[in-house]
Amino acid sequence: MEPILIVDDDPHMRNALKEAVRRLGFSPVVSENGVDALIKLQKQEFVLVITDMMMNKMDGLTLMKETRQKVGSIPFLVITGFGTIENAVESMKVGAVDYLLKPFSYEVFASKINTILNQSSKPDFIITQNEKMLKILKIADDIACADITVLIYGESGTGKELFARYIHQRGLRRDKPFIAVNCAAIPDNLLESEMFGYEKGAFTGATEKKLGKFELANGGVILLDEVGEMPLTLQAKLLRVLQEKEIDRVGGKTPIRIDVRVIATTNRNLKKECEEGRFREDLYYRLNVIPLHIPSLIERRDDIPLLAKHFLKNFNSMFGKAIEGYTDSAIDYLLNKEWRGNVRELENTIQRAVVLCKKSYIDKVDLVSLCEDEHEKNPPAIVTNIKEMEKDMIFKALEETKGNKTLAAKKLGITVRTLRNKLYSYRKNFPTLESLEYAK
């Protein structure tokens, strides 16, 4: 079993973490302070260190700095209380991969551990045997140390962020921060302050200075996830940052120099977005230095059994199960499903199946959701107009989520901004339709 080091001066927490790590299938090694932990780190290799922040003799932040100097790069998961969140953020800047806020459940803890180790494992960081994917991985390896901007294309759920992390971990900045910004999830009016930070008093509610994502990533890599969703006004400011290598905090008086590598992802055709005036052409060429296109899961069906096996192993550990594999009918179902949500949908399907399965092998019945069962019993009428079908799907999703646009967008596999644009166009083109109450 792979060893994980647990560092905490609270014996109750230390024992609880030890039992949780053992339950996940790893070998726990414990230390009651940072000094003892550093000695163990110099004598033994660990796949992960889980450390509390506030400890006697040596705190978690010092432990991480000393480990980097004396041992090298090892992934750290930081555990912190409410009052030390700022220290946790500081720890991310010196190399921690994530942090947990007390109190937390076993499920949350298990999810963090699996995510971290899946991202940091070198041999199977990206699970594939597909020829296209292997070629892309070769390109990613070749450009990792070039320290230039990369633009990763692909449908939602294909693993664009995984490729970004893959490049980071093999690049010159591997021991520096990796900060991801989801441009689609942050409201337009908050995105600038999230990216560039703000000074105290810059606006109502700005009671203290806040560092933006670019400053947090200084020296490392910033991921601009779904950059095609960024509003035009902010695109101009981003272009200046890329050109001048400096940022302006909201309310700030002087520019701040930064040194970051930019990796951007998008599920849109940015060239077409430029032609239609929704994306700046000059920014497009700044980002599109090295383009990588990640194929959909349908284009790499030969990876489905490998991915299914990988997810089964993870969720067995997460939920304390011992499912051995899949029946032939289950594999046949997985290979022939359309997978519009790509790898993310496959992962969610396996997770549900692991929870529901009561036998040693997952069968098709465990994989097919209740929604799909109902769909097969009552197949929809044929719709010849694609736009009408799209509209029907949107209103059905809104009805199921009781008008919650965020949940509806997630259900449809699109961004909230895209959903709002669709609803606006329906209201504009069909203003008399009563069903358009959701478009308000």
Side-chain angles (χ1 to χ4, degrees), residues 105-369:
S105 66
Y106 170 77
E107 288 74 17
V108 170
F109 176 76
S111 178
K112 288 279 189 188
I113 298 294
N114 282 314
T115 299
I116 291 168
L117 293 180
N118 287 340
Q119 290 173 352
S120 62
S121 60
K122 297 287 172 93
D124 61 350
F125 181 83
I126 293 176
I127 310 295
T128 187
Q129 62 182 7
N130 178 265
E131 189 175 341
K132 286 182 183 178
M133 288 285 285
L134 291 173
K135 286 180 180 178
I136 296 166
L137 282 173
K138 176 64 169 62
I139 295 171
D141 283 328
D142 291 342
I143 64 172
C145 291
D147 210 23
I148 55 179
T149 305
V150 183
L151 182 58
I152 304 175
Y153 294 89
E155 296 177 8
S156 295
T158 50
K160 298 187 292 295
E161 183 173 341
L162 279 179
F163 267 88
R165 292 182 181 276
Y166 182 95
I167 292 168
H168 169 240
Q169 289 199 353
R170 283 153 178 76
L172 300 173
R173 301 170 184 258
R174 65 178 67 91
D175 295 326
K176 301 295 184 181
F178 178 95
I179 304 295
V181 185
N182 189 333
C183 300
I186 304 172
D188 293 356
N189 60 332
L190 298 179
L191 190 54
E192 181 179 1
S193 59
E194 281 293 317
M195 290 181 66
F196 307 132
Y198 55 79
E199 296 289 352
K200 181 179 179 181
F203 49 82
T204 303
T207 55
E208 58 183 20
K209 180 180 73 175
K210 178 183 177 180
L211 300 184
K213 301 296 187 183
F214 269 91
E215 281 187 88
L216 291 173
N218 201 20
V221 173
I222 188 165
L223 170 65
L224 303 177
D225 195 19
E226 299 303 348
V227 71
E229 304 292 332
M230 185 180 291
L232 281 166
T233 52
L234 197 54
Q235 290 176 29
K237 295 180 180 179
L238 174 60
L239 179 65
R240 181 182 176 277
V241 170
L242 298 180
Q243 289 174 336
E244 305 298 331
K245 298 189 182 302
E246 61 184 26
I247 59 140
D248 293 297
R249 292 195 196 122
V250 176
K253 296 180 180 178
T254 56
I256 299 166
R257 297 292 297 177
I258 51 140
D259 170 31
V260 297
R261 181 180 190 177
V262 175
I263 301 178
T265 71
T266 181
N267 60 11
R268 296 189 176 197
N269 182 336
L270 288 190
K271 197 166 186 179
K272 186 177 179 183
E273 293 290 301
C274 291
E275 292 169 357
E276 297 180 359
R278 290 190 293 268
F279 201 83
R280 291 181 63 105
E281 191 172 27
D282 45 6
L283 178 57
Y284 168 69
Y285 287 116
R286 276 279 174 182
L287 295 173
N288 197 45
V289 180
I290 299 289
L292 290 180
H293 180 264
I294 312 303
S296 66
L297 190 55
I298 293 174
E299 297 175 86
R300 46 181 290 215
R301 288 190 186 275
D302 50 334
D303 278 343
I304 290 175
L306 275 178
L307 290 164
K309 182 179 179 182
H310 174 74
F311 293 141
L312 176 59
K313 179 183 176 183
N314 286 352
F315 293 127
N316 265 340
S317 296
M318 183 180 295
F319 299 114
K321 295 266 193 149
I323 299 169
E324 297 179 35
Y326 300 87
T327 65
D328 290 343
S329 64
I331 292 294
D332 185 63
Y333 171 82
L334 293 174
L335 287 171
N336 289 286
K337 187 172 166 59
E338 192 172 351
W339 299 119
R340 291 185 180 182
N342 292 293
V343 179
R344 187 182 296 123
E345 183 187 358
L346 173 64
E347 182 178 14
N348 291 340
T349 300
I350 302 302
Q351 182 179 25
R352 182 178 64 244
V354 169
V355 172
L356 295 176
C357 183
K358 306 298 182 185
K359 300 177 182 177
S360 299
Y361 287 85
I362 290 174
D363 197 10
K364 178 182 175 180
V365 69
D366 303 308
L367 295 165
V368 179
S369 70

Side-chain angles (χ1 to χ4, degrees), residues 1-110:
M1 292 190 293
E2 294 176 308
I4 290 178
L5 179 61
I6 299 162
V7 193
D8 201 305
D9 56 1
D10 180 342
H12 298 294
M13 176 62 77
R14 202 164 57 237
N15 289 334
L17 291 171
K18 181 179 178 181
E19 179 57 34
V21 166
R22 182 179 286 114
R23 186 174 164 188
L24 285 168
F26 297 95
S27 175
V29 178
V30 297
S31 286
E32 61 183 24
N33 59 65
V35 175
D36 179 62
L38 191 58
I39 294 171
K40 285 185 168 69
L41 283 162
Q42 291 172 299
K43 292 181 178 180
Q44 182 180 352
E45 289 188 3
F46 295 92
V47 295
L48 177 66
V49 179
I50 303 169
T51 183
D52 192 16
M53 279 298 290
M54 306 302 291
M55 297 183 292
N56 295 324
K57 295 188 178 180
M58 182 187 291
D59 62 22
L61 197 61
T62 305
L63 173 61
M64 280 184 285
K65 291 177 180 177
E66 291 289 316
T67 300
R68 176 179 288 180
Q69 291 177 359
K70 297 179 180 179
V71 181
S73 178
I74 298 173
F76 271 77
L77 172 64
V78 170
I79 295 175
T80 183
F82 179 77
T84 55
I85 293 179
E86 287 186 1
N87 287 338
V89 174
E90 181 66 23
S91 72
M92 298 283 281
K93 294 171 68 176
V94 299
V97 291
D98 211 337
Y99 69 90
L100 270 172
L101 187 63
K102 297 177 184 177
F104 50 85
S105 66
Y106 170 77
E107 288 74 17
V108 170
F109 176 76

